[in-house]
Amino acid sequence: MLAHSSILQAQSDLIIPDTLPLSSLPSVTQEIVGFFIIETHVLDTTGNFRSERDIEDLWDALVGRLCTTVERVLQNETDADSFLRVKESLIAFVMTLEVLVTIFSYI
């Protein structure tokens, strides 16, 4: 059986590729949000399929990987518009999460 950390790493590898073209950042962040909407629903409806701690650990792993990947891609970027598009994508990502937190806190 795979260790818990190995499973988390495998899942984050599937969601965030090693090489991330900046143009795909909006779709990757949308996929992350969708994934966690489903995980939250599964957590709320199944009981023991996955623990809340498992989901939090996966979230931490994914956000860490997203940050590392975006940072690595931007290290050699010189185009100001690329930085602006990354900023816009990440702001949209955070705003979506804030809305979801509000929605799920009422459920």
Side-chain angles (χ1 to χ4, degrees):
M1 180 161 216
L2 289 174
H4 179 69
S5 61
S6 298
I7 293 169
L8 292 177
Q9 183 62 46
Q11 287 179 318
S12 73
D13 290 350
L14 289 172
I15 296 171
I16 301 176
D18 283 333
T19 56
L20 179 69
L22 292 179
S23 61
S24 69
L25 184 59
S27 63
V28 168
T29 56
Q30 291 166 4
E31 289 172 15
I32 292 171
V33 169
F35 179 84
F36 281 98
I37 288 172
I38 292 168
E39 286 296 315
T40 301
H41 179 72
V42 169
L43 177 66
D44 291 342
T45 58
T46 60
N48 5 342
F49 179 72
R50 194 186 297 239
S51 73
E52 187 171 346
R53 183 71 202 153
D54 288 344
I55 294 172
E56 289 173 3
D57 288 347
L58 181 55
W59 172 257
D60 290 345
L62 275 171
V63 170
R65 185 174 171 93
L66 179 65
C67 291
T68 301
T69 302
V70 169
E71 182 180 1
R72 186 177 53 239
V73 171
L74 288 178
Q75 283 178 345
N76 298 320
E77 187 60 56
T78 58
D79 180 37
D81 287 338
S82 293
F83 281 90
L84 182 59
R85 285 190 296 276
V86 167
K87 179 180 176 181
E88 290 169 345
S89 294
L90 294 177
I91 287 172
F93 177 62
V94 169
M95 290 175 69
T96 301
L97 294 173
E98 288 174 346
V99 168
L100 290 172
V101 166
T102 303
I103 291 170
F104 283 119
S105 69
Y106 289 116
I107 297 176

